[in-house]
């Protein structure tokens, strides 16, 4: 770690390669595979660096005996909606560039 209170993907991988940490997380009911997937998604969303506090919050939320709450579902819905809007904008931009301005002048976009 470079002691900046953020984790990079490389730092996160190094941490999870430590058998003692992995065992401690697993023994505490943490779904480590789920943690890796969510943290990797967070790295993509936040430009490759995540505050350590966000990682710790995620670890607490991923304990196996926790059940999903209405707030969790709304947070998930919000994330999916944001991703869909971003994807839609990228597709629209790509189509405009690929097809030229004649398509946009006809009101398709």
């Amino acid at each position: 770690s470079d002691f900046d209170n953020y984790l990079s993907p490389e730092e996160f991988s190094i941490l999870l390669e430590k058998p003692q940490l992995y065992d401690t997380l697993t023994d505490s009911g943490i779904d480590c595979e789920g943690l890796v997937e969510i943290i990797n998604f967070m790295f993509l969303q936040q430009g490759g660096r995540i505050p350590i506090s966000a990682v710790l919050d995620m670890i607490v939320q991923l304990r196996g005996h926790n059940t999903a709450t209405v707030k969790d579902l709304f947070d998930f819905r919000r994330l999916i909606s944001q991703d869909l809007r971003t994807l839609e904008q990228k597709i629209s931009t790509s189509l405009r560039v690929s097809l030229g301005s004649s398509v946009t002048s006809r009101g398709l976009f």
Side-chain angles (χ1 to χ4, degrees), residues 12 16 20-39 54-66:
F12 182 68
L16 279 185
Q20 184 178 7
L21 176 63
Y22 188 90
D23 291 344
T24 300
L25 290 172
T26 302
D27 291 345
S28 299
I30 306 298
D31 174 8
C32 288
E33 288 77 22
L35 176 64
V36 169
E37 288 181 27
I38 290 173
I39 296 298
V55 174
L56 294 175
D57 288 342
M58 189 57 56
I59 288 172
V60 170
Q61 290 179 17
L62 287 175
R63 286 179 292 164
H65 62 274
N66 285 348

Side-chain angles (χ1 to χ4, degrees), residues 37-52:
E37 288 181 27
I38 290 173
I39 296 298
N40 285 336
F41 177 76
M42 289 173 70
F43 282 128
L44 289 173
Q45 293 292 315
Q46 297 191 21
R49 291 172 27 113
I50 304 172
I52 292 173

Side-chain angles (χ1 to χ4, degrees), residues 87-100:
L87 180 61
E88 183 180 318
Q89 290 170 350
K90 288 179 180 180
I91 290 171
S92 180
T93 300
S94 293
L95 284 173
R96 283 186 189 129
V97 169
S98 296
L99 299 175

Side-chain angles (χ1 to χ4, degrees), residues 7-25:
L7 278 179
S8 69
E10 296 79 20
E11 292 169 329
F12 182 68
S13 294
I14 290 169
L15 285 174
L16 279 185
E17 288 174 4
K18 297 182 182 284
Q20 184 178 7
L21 176 63
Y22 188 90
D23 291 344
T24 300
L25 290 172

